[in-house]
Amino acid sequence: MGMISRWADTVGSSRKPSIGVKILAAIFGVAAFVLAIAALEIATNPSLTDGTTASLLVVAFVFVVGVGLLVVAAGLWIGRSWAWTWGFVLYTGAAISSLIAVVQTPEPVTLLGVVVPAFVAVYLYSKREQFDTANTESV
């Protein structure tokens, strides 16, 4: 019975993410859903692409990223440590890549592309204890 309880603890969350993390996860989820749907629309509408293999690969990549972000959003919602790790890595990477873009094109709009993902990464980092697998109780 102890093995089943430990399995249930890993499947169902014994941790409760804060309301801020849940709001962030909901925003991620909506954005990811829109990204995936947009990619499907582009892929199925021949007038939106030139029909080359390269353009279809880009659309497929965008779709996969959208679905992946949707999975991360769901993991954040229920308090999974892997979702915290992926979310933190993705938003830190987005902030760094946007910072490179700001250096290359110093415009106020590109600066916003640094501030938003950096804020999200810092916020997720500040909530890391909610996702710490070492602190979960095993039965």
Side-chain angles (χ1 to χ4, degrees):
M1 190 69 168
M3 185 175 173
I4 293 172
S5 296
R6 282 191 298 273
W7 178 80
D9 284 342
T10 62
V11 173
S13 180
S14 61
R15 298 172 296 273
K16 301 219 186 257
S18 66
I19 190 69
V21 171
K22 287 197 172 204
I23 289 169
L24 195 58
I27 292 169
F28 289 173
V30 169
F33 183 73
V34 168
L35 189 64
I37 295 300
L40 279 176
E41 176 62 27
I42 291 169
T44 57
N45 189 342
S47 66
L48 297 176
T49 63
D50 58 4
T52 64
T53 303
S55 66
L56 292 177
L57 286 175
V58 169
V59 170
F61 177 76
V62 170
F63 177 75
V64 169
V65 167
V67 171
L69 288 175
L70 194 58
V71 170
V72 169
L76 285 172
W77 183 270
I78 60 174
R80 295 290 177 243
S81 62
W82 57 263
W84 178 88
T85 302
W86 277 104
F88 181 73
V89 167
L90 290 171
Y91 280 89
T92 301
I96 291 169
S97 67
S98 294
L99 184 60
I100 292 168
V102 166
V103 170
Q104 294 173 347
T105 312
E107 294 180 13
V109 174
T110 55
L111 185 59
L112 188 62
V114 175
V115 172
V116 172
F119 175 78
V120 170
V122 168
Y123 181 76
L124 281 176
Y125 187 78
S126 74
K127 300 300 180 185
R128 68 191 177 280
E129 74 280 351
Q130 296 176 22
F131 300 93
D132 187 9
T133 56
N135 289 336
T136 56
E137 298 176 15
S138 60
V139 177

